[in-house]
Amino acid sequence: MESERLRLREFTPADLDLLVELDSDPEVMRFLTGKATPRGEIADVVLPGMLRVYGEHPGLGTFAAEEKSGGAFVGWFGLQPTADPGTVDVGYRLNRAAWGKGYATEGTRMLIDYAFGELQVERVVADTMAVNHRSRAVMRRSGLRFARLWHEHFEDPLPGTEFGEVEYAIDRRTWEAGRRA
């Protein structure tokens, strides 16, 4: 998949170091786990899980994002299956050097268009911590709209967890109406 500035591709086992570097930045992980993901966990759990999704759910998964000009790795974008077969979950994780350049919105829009246009899903959702205002802004700019707020109990909560989690969503009809406008 390609957008104006990004190219998405499936991850391979050779991409381990890219994922380790991405998940080693505490700012990148701030609203996710609050800490770096150990290399062994990425090698033994995270990357094999990503690779497994490609075979189990054709068209879905976590895709390496690279700049079309120069090929620099900027992070990843993903479309994940949900419990509802007509709904997919869109998400992203970008290197800090890629923040503030519009990549998050560009890649998210690309995957939303792909989900409705190619995969023929009925609904796309995304979620984040309520206090993650930058990701919430990306969701809004990507065409997703606030759907709900909920609270979860975590054994080791991150700062801001007490404000809850938010879901944003768009359905096929709304997406189609936006494309005609």
Side-chain angles (χ1 to χ4, degrees):
M1 284 179 273
E2 293 188 2
S3 63
E4 181 182 338
R5 300 176 297 157
L6 297 173
R7 180 177 296 113
L8 302 185
R9 63 167 177 81
E10 290 184 355
F11 276 99
T12 71
D15 293 317
L16 176 64
D17 289 338
L18 295 175
L19 289 170
V20 169
E21 181 180 341
L22 179 65
D23 282 15
S24 292
D25 185 333
E27 279 301 304
V28 170
M29 302 305 288
R30 179 176 172 203
F31 296 108
L32 301 164
T33 62
K35 60 186 180 217
T37 308
R39 180 182 187 83
E41 183 177 336
I42 294 172
D44 298 338
V45 179
V46 175
L47 185 54
M50 290 175 164
L51 301 177
R52 192 169 33 258
V53 171
Y54 302 139
E56 294 175 359
H57 302 278
L60 298 181
T62 304
F63 304 98
E66 300 168 335
E67 291 178 335
K68 283 171 66 173
S69 64
F73 177 73
V74 299
W76 59 253
F77 290 88
L79 273 180
Q80 302 301 325
T82 68
D84 175 357
T87 300
V88 294
D89 187 297
V90 66
Y92 62 90
R93 187 172 305 165
L94 301 181
N95 288 319
R96 205 177 335 173
W99 293 3
K101 297 181 179 181
Y103 289 144
T105 301
E106 183 176 331
T108 301
R109 283 180 180 163
M110 177 176 29
L111 284 186
I112 290 170
D113 290 347
Y114 171 73
F116 288 120
E118 299 295 321
L119 301 178
Q120 299 295 308
V121 302
E122 292 302 316
R123 188 167 185 254
V124 175
V125 299
D127 61 84
T128 190
M129 290 177 66
V131 296
N132 190 348
H133 299 292
R134 292 182 76 179
S135 279
R136 292 179 73 171
V138 167
M139 292 174 191
R140 288 189 299 272
R141 286 192 301 268
S142 300
L144 300 162
R145 295 295 171 248
F146 177 80
R148 68 186 179 114
L149 166 74
W150 78 96
H151 290 81
E152 289 188 33
H153 172 74
F154 296 96
E155 292 299 322
D156 188 16
L158 296 173
T161 299
E162 66 272 19
F163 297 104
E165 306 287 320
V166 291
E167 178 182 82
Y168 282 69
I170 186 171
D171 61 24
R172 169 176 289 289
R173 188 172 23 152
T174 304
W175 175 79
E176 288 173 345
R179 294 189 56 86
R180 289 190 298 268

